Each structure stands twice: as structure tokens, then as C-alpha cells.
Amino acid sequence: MPSLQEELLPSTPGKFKIDQRGHAVNRQFHRCFASTSTLFLWALFLVALTASYLSFQSFIDSGNRYFTASWGGIQWEKRVRDSAQVHRRPGGLSVLVTGAAGFVGTHVSLALKKRGDGVVGVDNFNNYYDPSLKKARKSLLQGHGVFVVEGDVNDARLLAKLFDVVAFTHVMHLAAQAGVRYAMENPQSYVHSNVAGLVTLLEACKSANPQPAVVWASSSSVYGLNEQSPFSEADRTDRPASLYAATKKAGEAITHTYNHIYGLSITGLRFFTVYGPWGRPDMAYFSFTRNILQGKPITIYRGKNRVDLARDFTYIDDIVKGCVGSLDTAGRSTGSGGRKAGPAPYRIFNLGNTSPVTVPTLVSILERHLKVKAKRNVVDMPGNGDVPFTHANITSARRQLGYKPTTDLQTGLKKFVKWYLSYYGYNNRNNVN
């Protein structure tokens, strides 16, 4: 059996000559630890070595976080400040636009930048639809001096950093998980973006000093099973027909809470079926155009008793006018550092065209502009959350925002088709690149 002394030695004791009586080992220990001062020095050395290791490890971890983050750093902060800078416009706005690489976000950002406002965008470039379209919109924005940060509105650290770098006067919150039918496949994405993301953003806004005014995108879908027409802001919105609608209704309740408790100036905009160039591929007019050009059949839903579905299609330029008007008339937030000093404005507006058009009529207009006949497949509407019709009452928006839509569906679809053929590289209307 080996002695206890032998067990304490290295398993490969090449540098030690073992004395079975232990004299050699005793001499080694005696030399090293002969005095109290030597013990102290050894202890100090071990502490210093441990501290050095921990500091080095912390440096490595920090470096890893820095190099893997898509934001941060001196150059990044400079780009944010430059993009937020107001130009050629006394009293101009400095606006943080979430969902800036989205359909509405791109158009609103361009409109603000072109008139001299400062604009910084945020977008997470998710793959709900082809991210290459969002990347193309981002390039368009960069060409006009708008910096788009790649990040999620659920990232509280990113939002805090942005508000630390720039004292935004306004926030245009357009980031959201869109689409009615997709909620049946991925309901969690709607809660993540439309509820949790909204709360994270509002937390950042109420803690900012000064607090920005907030304008955000609700939806006409909140009217749900409402049968009164046209839809008015005073109508019931407690019967949503889809999870998407429910999250937007929840958003209206959440924003009201932050307005009441923290003094945030809040304006909610109920968009009615927005369409136009740079639009969303999941929208009916967009997918119809693609399928018609490719010779594929299109599915047209109809409601009960074979009634055609109708939508209050609203051209993107008109929506942009409503968004910008909402920012200009928002009124100040009254809180400071998360504390309310007095009542702040809370408003909700419909932004629609006031002229519902049936889906079959939409298809006929597309056929005329594309000069291609559609292969129609008409089926009864499934229980997927769609509603049979939408129709906006815009009296309040007209009175308070000066909102007045001017583009009819015929004109708007003509502009969309022209963009579509150019963007997707059609050499002629019968061949697809």
C-alpha cells in the first residue's frame, strides 16, 4: 500500500527523487515554507494569479459579445446620430421608426427624411416573407440617408442605447407580426411582436428623458365581427375574429395604460388594407399579381350567401400622409423619467379610403393593367379569421389630421403593377425572369 506521502506527489514524479523515509520531500517543503513571510508571498501570488485569470476571461467574454452584436461602438453611434439629425427644417422631428424596412415603415421613413426630419430605423428582418425584399428596402433607405439598425423591439438593451444616443422627439412604431391567417400556424410570433414587443418599446419610451410622443399602427381588424358600416372609432372592438386582431386590440388597451400611468402621448392608427409599391408579398393583390403573371390559378374567397368580400383598399401614399399628420399633431408627453406630470393626449384614428371594393373587382383591375386573364378559383371563405368587409369612417382623421385620401384603386394598382414589373425584372408581361 502506498503511503499518504506518496499519494500527494505527482503521478509522474520525474523531477523528484523519492526518499521512502520522506527526508527529501521534507527538505523541499522546509525551503519553501520556512517562514510566515514566505507563506504570505505565496498566498498573494495565488490571489494575483486568480484575479488575472478572471479579468482575462471577462475580457474574452466582453469581446465575444462585442463582435457578435449587430449594434454598438463608436462608429455605430455616429451613424445613429447622423441619421437622427434634423436638416433644413426649423422645429423638425427626430423620429425612431420601428419596422423601418417593412412596407409602411419604408415609405414613412422616406417621407420624413425627404422633408428634413431626422430618422433612425429598427428592423429585425425576420423571414415571415422573403427577407431580400426588406434588404432592398433597407438599401433604398440608406440611399436617402436613413440608417436602419438590425435589431428586435424586444431587445430592451438596444432600445435603451438608442434613447441614450439620441433624444428622439417621436417614435413611429410600425414593427409587428402581420397577417391574419399566419396566426393559425405560428401564434407565438404575434404575442412576441405585437404584445411583448410593444410593452418593451413603451417601457423604453416612458423611461426616456425627455419622453417621446408615440404613434403606432393598430389595425382595422380590431373591428372584428362589427357589422355597422362604415366603421367608426366609437364602435365596439371587443369581438376580434382573429388572433392578429386580438393582439392589436390588446395593444390599444396597453397603450392606454401607459398613457394614463406615465403620461406618454399616444396615437393609434387603424390601417385599412394598405397596398402599393414595395408592398407585402402575403397580401392578396401582391400574390394575385404574381400568380396571374405565372399563369397560376388564384383563389378568391366569398362570404356567406355567395356574397363577394370587400375591402377598403388604401393606397400607401395616403397612409403616409396620415402617419406624418399624426406625428405633427401628436402633442407632448408629460412624464419625466417614468413619472407622469399631467394628462397627455390619447387618440385613435381610422386611416382608410372610404370606398370599399370587392375582391373580384380588384382582380379585374389587375387583369386590365397586366393584360393577362386570371384563372379564377372561387371558394367559400374558411374560418381563418378573415372578415367579409371593411369600410372606414375617416371623419375624425379628416378633422384632426387634415387626412384626405386622393388615390382610387384603379390608379393605385396601376402604380403597383409598374413597380412590380420593374422590381422583378420582367422583360415582357408573358415571361418571368
Side-chain angles (χ1 to χ4, degrees):
M1 289 287 291
S3 66
L4 178 61
Q5 192 177 68
E6 289 173 345
E7 290 180 341
L8 291 174
L9 293 173
S11 59
T12 55
K15 295 183 180 180
F16 293 84
K17 183 176 180 180
I18 301 175
D19 186 337
Q20 294 298 328
R21 299 177 184 178
H23 296 306
V25 176
N26 286 336
R27 284 195 297 271
Q28 293 288 339
F29 274 78
H30 180 73
R31 291 192 187 113
C32 292
F33 302 108
S35 67
T36 303
S37 60
T38 304
L39 280 170
F40 175 75
L41 290 173
W42 271 97
L44 192 62
F45 171 73
L46 290 173
V47 170
L49 187 64
T50 303
S52 298
Y53 171 77
L54 293 175
S55 297
F56 179 73
Q57 190 63 43
S58 176
F59 172 77
I60 294 297
D61 291 342
S62 299
N64 287 337
R65 285 195 297 270
Y66 176 81
F67 287 115
T68 56
S70 59
W71 56 270
I74 296 174
Q75 289 302 315
W76 179 87
E77 290 185 15
K78 183 179 185 303
R79 294 185 70 185
V80 170
R81 289 193 185 95
D82 289 348
S83 190
Q85 187 69 40
V86 177
H87 294 283
R88 309 179 311 279
R89 188 168 179 257
L93 313 181
S94 181
V95 187
L96 176 65
V97 180
T98 70
F103 174 32
V104 179
T106 296
H107 285 273
V108 171
S109 297
L110 287 173
L112 292 171
K113 197 68 176 180
K114 286 179 179 178
R115 73 175 193 172
D117 292 320
V119 182
V120 176
V122 176
D123 203 290
N124 67 357
F125 296 91
N126 65 25
N127 60 358
Y128 168 62
Y129 58 81
D130 185 6
S132 67
L133 181 57
K134 294 183 181 181
K135 295 291 185 182
R137 297 190 192 119
K138 178 183 178 181
S139 296
L140 178 66
L141 290 171
Q142 287 178 331
H144 288 82
V146 177
F147 179 42
V148 180
V149 177
E150 186 162 353
D152 197 296
V153 290
N154 278 284
D155 188 343
R157 288 176 61 247
L158 168 59
L159 296 179
K161 184 65 176 178
L162 286 168
F163 279 106
D164 182 56
V165 174
V166 175
F168 292 104
T169 61
H170 295 72
V171 170
M172 186 79 218
H173 179 48
L174 299 168
Q177 177 59 63
V180 169
R181 299 166 197 168
Y182 183 63
M184 301 180 73
E185 301 174 31
N186 189 2
Q188 290 80 9
S189 66
Y190 289 79
V191 177
H192 175 81
S193 296
N194 302 358
V195 179
L198 175 61
V199 170
T200 304
L201 177 69
L202 292 174
E203 279 291 304
C205 291
K206 63 97 169 172
S207 300
N209 196 3
Q211 290 178 338
V214 179
V215 178
W216 74 289
S218 184
S219 169
S220 63
S221 68
V222 299
Y223 290 108
L225 303 179
N226 174 51
E227 295 181 351
Q228 295 185 12
S229 181
F231 298 167
S232 168
E233 293 91 344
D235 291 345
R236 289 179 61 183
T237 56
D238 57 353
R239 296 181 296 167
S242 66
L243 179 61
Y244 170 71
T247 61
K248 287 299 185 179
K249 174 59 180 176
E252 292 188 355
I254 290 167
T255 53
H256 185 275
T257 301
Y258 275 79
N259 166 264
H260 172 68
I261 297 176
Y262 301 111
L264 282 175
S265 170
I266 303 281
T267 303
L269 303 176
R270 295 172 178 170
F271 294 161
F272 281 71
T273 316
V274 189
Y275 74 99
W278 295 99
R280 286 187 6 230
D282 64 311
M283 297 290 285
Y285 73 95
F286 202 113
S287 61
F288 285 170
T289 300
R290 179 177 60 245
N291 288 351
I292 290 172
L293 287 170
Q294 294 177 355
K296 298 177 181 179
I298 62 173
T299 299
I300 301 174
Y301 294 124
R302 63 187 174 196
K304 293 179 180 180
N305 302 318
R306 305 173 71 88
V307 174
D308 291 330
L309 303 187
R311 293 288 182 270
D312 198 344
F313 296 102
T314 312
Y315 189 62
I316 183 61
D317 288 0
D318 291 326
I319 289 291
V320 168
K321 292 173 186 175
C323 291
V324 173
S326 297
L327 290 168
D328 287 342
T329 61
R332 293 179 180 273
S333 292
T334 61
S336 177
R339 294 186 177 183
K340 177 180 176 181
Y346 182 83
R347 311 178 299 171
I348 291 181
F349 298 111
N350 288 337
L351 294 186
N353 195 50
T354 75
S355 302
V357 176
T358 66
V359 175
T361 301
L362 165 76
V363 174
S364 297
I365 296 173
L366 285 174
E367 288 175 325
R368 197 153 50 245
H369 290 314
L370 294 169
K371 298 182 180 179
V372 180
K373 196 71 175 174
K375 299 175 182 179
R376 305 187 186 204
N377 180 27
V378 181
V379 300
D380 291 335
M381 182 175 66
N384 57 12
D386 273 332
V387 294
F389 72 96
T390 61
H391 184 187
N393 179 334
I394 61 169
T395 302
S396 182
R398 183 184 290 116
R399 182 176 62 251
Q400 297 188 50
L401 308 179
Y403 175 70
K404 184 180 180 181
T406 58
T407 305
D408 61 23
L409 189 59
Q410 179 81 237
T411 303
L413 285 179
K414 182 178 182 180
K415 293 179 179 180
F416 165 73
V417 167
K418 181 179 180 180
W419 168 83
Y420 186 98
L421 296 174
S422 173
Y423 180 79
Y424 286 101
Y426 280 71
N427 295 322
N428 58 64
R429 291 188 172 93
N430 295 315
N431 295 319
V432 180
N433 266 0

